Amino acid sequence: MAIEREFIGHSRRTKADPLLWSLISGSAVVAAFWLTVPPQSGARSVQLALSAVAILGLALSRFWPLLGALTAGLATAGAWEFGMTSDPFLLASFGVFALALKNGTRRAPWWLLLAGGGVALAALLLGRPVGAVPLESNDRGVLLGTVVLGAAWVLGARTREADELAAAQIRHDERMRIARDTHDVLSHSLGAIGVQAGVAAHVETLTEHDLQDALRDIEARSRQALSELHTLLRAERAQNEHDVFGTLDPEWLVSLEALVTTARQLGIESELNVTGELSQLDSQTGAIAHRVVQEAVTNTIRHSSADSLIVSVVTTLQFLEISVFDNGPNTACEVREGYGLTGLRERVETAGGNVRFAAAADGFAVWARLPVRAAAGQPR
């Protein structure tokens, strides 16, 4: 999103002063390719007039590319015919580039080829005034101009394709980020709610007190899930670049203990071992640490028959290392990554870390390593 906003801001700044840039670019081309060509005696005013029309076409190209290209192209062709310029249709090429950038394809349009052929034919057939450039030189100029205009079209079309691909990649990355955040916000709470509701519905030995406790836990988890979802939506509307969890709870140790407590409440013997100061982590690293443990605990609750869970978090000066192991048996030793593990891998690798998953007959393990960046105001 930052790249997209910067691109939009750059576009607005560029559009804010199109006349200035057109005058500067046009004046440079005129000084290099027009004023260096001495016209016939008394024809300097005609040369300047044609160059002014060509610069006007360049200015129009920013708003009406086709009109600007035709205006600059006709003025340049007239000046070529009377030997007043050596401009290889550079001023017209700006309009051609803008037109291709707007709605062009790699294949040059028929009208551009027809226009180039018409200019070349006119240069060959029309009478030549006294003092005009030699016919052979004029033909070379027309040929070079055709090459310049064709190159401008191809460059504009390729730039258009590159912009479309970049925009598509931005949209894809944004969808993936929203999918990860939505999964992380809802999966853990809804998974725990589903397990608690199943226990309450199918265990006949539950007392009325136990049933009320289960319903209170379900209510609390549903409210927490809705609160996190509202926070996520507010962050999206505000175009917040940071992970949404960074706005929820800065006490990472408290958050991790809450995750482990959820597993304990559902009958899984759980242990949390923390080494180092989590409070010194920046918000992004702390959020990812929470998400790693959250996804691992959620998978244990929803997809395994484990009765033991061990979570270890070790913070050093360089790395934050996380391991989560449950003793749920696995019939297959191949890990099949679903949306949760795929999103977890993407999140960790985006932060410059790495993650591994391992399934064995005696359990399932998740390992993650993240580079440590000190929080604001914390010494390194």
Side-chain angles (χ1 to χ4, degrees), residues 13-184:
R13 290 192 298 270
T14 302
K15 291 180 179 179
D17 49 7
L19 182 59
L20 177 60
W21 283 110
S22 298
L23 290 176
I24 293 175
S25 303
S27 299
V29 173
V30 168
F33 296 100
W34 291 66
L35 300 183
T36 55
V37 177
Q40 304 177 50
S41 178
R44 176 65 78 175
S45 59
V46 177
Q47 183 188 49
L48 293 176
L50 289 174
S51 66
V53 173
I55 292 177
L56 175 62
L58 172 60
L60 293 176
S61 297
R62 294 202 175 249
F63 308 100
W64 301 285
L66 180 57
L67 177 61
L70 290 176
T71 301
L74 291 175
T76 304
W80 263 104
E81 185 64 27
F82 290 95
M84 297 180 178
T85 186
S86 59
D87 175 18
F89 291 89
L90 281 176
L91 296 177
S93 68
F94 283 93
V96 174
F97 174 84
L99 188 62
L101 186 61
K102 183 177 181 181
N103 53 10
T105 60
R106 291 191 178 185
R107 179 177 298 178
W110 63 268
W111 57 264
L112 180 60
L113 300 176
L114 185 61
V119 171
L121 184 62
L124 291 174
L125 298 181
L126 294 179
R128 307 188 58 74
V130 178
V133 294
L135 184 62
E136 182 180 352
S137 176
N138 198 41
D139 293 342
R140 287 199 301 267
V142 171
L143 179 60
L144 179 59
T146 303
V147 173
V148 169
L149 293 177
W153 179 270
V154 172
L155 181 60
R158 289 185 176 272
T159 303
R160 171 186 170 87
E161 290 181 358
D163 290 344
E164 290 177 347
L165 289 176
Q169 185 63 43
I170 290 174
R171 290 192 297 269
H172 175 268
D173 293 343
E174 191 71 5
R175 287 196 300 270
M176 293 300 101
R177 186 186 63 80
I178 293 174
R180 288 194 299 268
D181 286 341
T182 304
H183 177 276
D184 291 343

Side-chain angles (χ1 to χ4, degrees), residues 119-351:
V119 171
L121 184 62
L124 291 174
L125 298 181
L126 294 179
R128 307 188 58 74
V130 178
V133 294
L135 184 62
E136 182 180 352
S137 176
N138 198 41
D139 293 342
R140 287 199 301 267
V142 171
L143 179 60
L144 179 59
T146 303
V147 173
V148 169
L149 293 177
W153 179 270
V154 172
L155 181 60
R158 289 185 176 272
T159 303
R160 171 186 170 87
E161 290 181 358
D163 290 344
E164 290 177 347
L165 289 176
Q169 185 63 43
I170 290 174
R171 290 192 297 269
H172 175 268
D173 293 343
E174 191 71 5
R175 287 196 300 270
M176 293 300 101
R177 186 186 63 80
I178 293 174
R180 288 194 299 268
D181 286 341
T182 304
H183 177 276
D184 291 343
V185 166
L186 297 180
S187 178
H188 178 74
S189 297
L190 295 183
I193 289 173
V195 172
Q196 287 181 307
V199 170
H202 296 93
V203 178
E204 298 179 355
T205 58
L206 285 180
T207 64
E208 181 178 353
H209 178 72
D210 294 333
L211 182 59
Q212 289 179 347
D213 287 343
L215 292 177
R216 278 193 290 267
D217 287 340
I218 290 174
E219 178 187 15
R221 296 188 192 284
S222 63
R223 291 182 182 277
Q224 179 184 6
L226 287 175
S227 176
E228 293 188 14
L229 183 60
H230 289 163
T231 302
L232 172 62
L233 295 177
R234 284 197 303 270
E236 292 303 323
R237 289 182 178 276
Q239 295 183 342
N240 190 351
E241 298 177 27
H242 302 290
D243 189 292
V244 62
F245 187 77
T247 63
L248 297 181
D249 188 355
E251 299 296 334
W252 311 119
L253 182 57
V254 175
S255 300
L256 297 181
E257 288 178 343
L259 295 175
V260 174
T261 300
T262 300
R264 292 195 188 105
Q265 292 173 344
L266 297 176
I268 301 175
E269 184 179 347
S270 303
E271 179 182 347
L272 174 63
N273 300 315
V274 177
T275 303
E277 291 295 331
L278 296 185
S279 60
Q280 295 183 359
L281 299 178
D282 67 295
S283 60
Q284 182 183 17
T285 305
I288 296 176
H290 177 94
R291 295 308 187 193
V292 170
V293 177
Q294 182 185 59
E295 180 61 27
V297 172
T298 299
N299 286 339
T300 299
I301 294 173
R302 296 180 59 188
H303 305 302
S304 78
S305 56
D307 55 22
S308 174
L309 175 68
I310 300 176
V311 179
S312 298
V313 180
V314 178
T315 305
T316 65
L317 293 178
Q318 291 81 26
F319 297 103
L320 171 66
E321 297 182 350
I322 302 169
S323 65
V324 182
F325 176 79
D326 68 62
N327 65 348
N330 292 276
T331 57
C333 294
E334 180 181 355
V335 178
R336 298 175 58 186
E337 295 188 17
Y339 293 119
L341 293 182
T342 299
L344 179 59
R345 180 183 298 280
E346 293 172 350
R347 190 185 294 277
V348 171
E349 291 179 351
T350 299

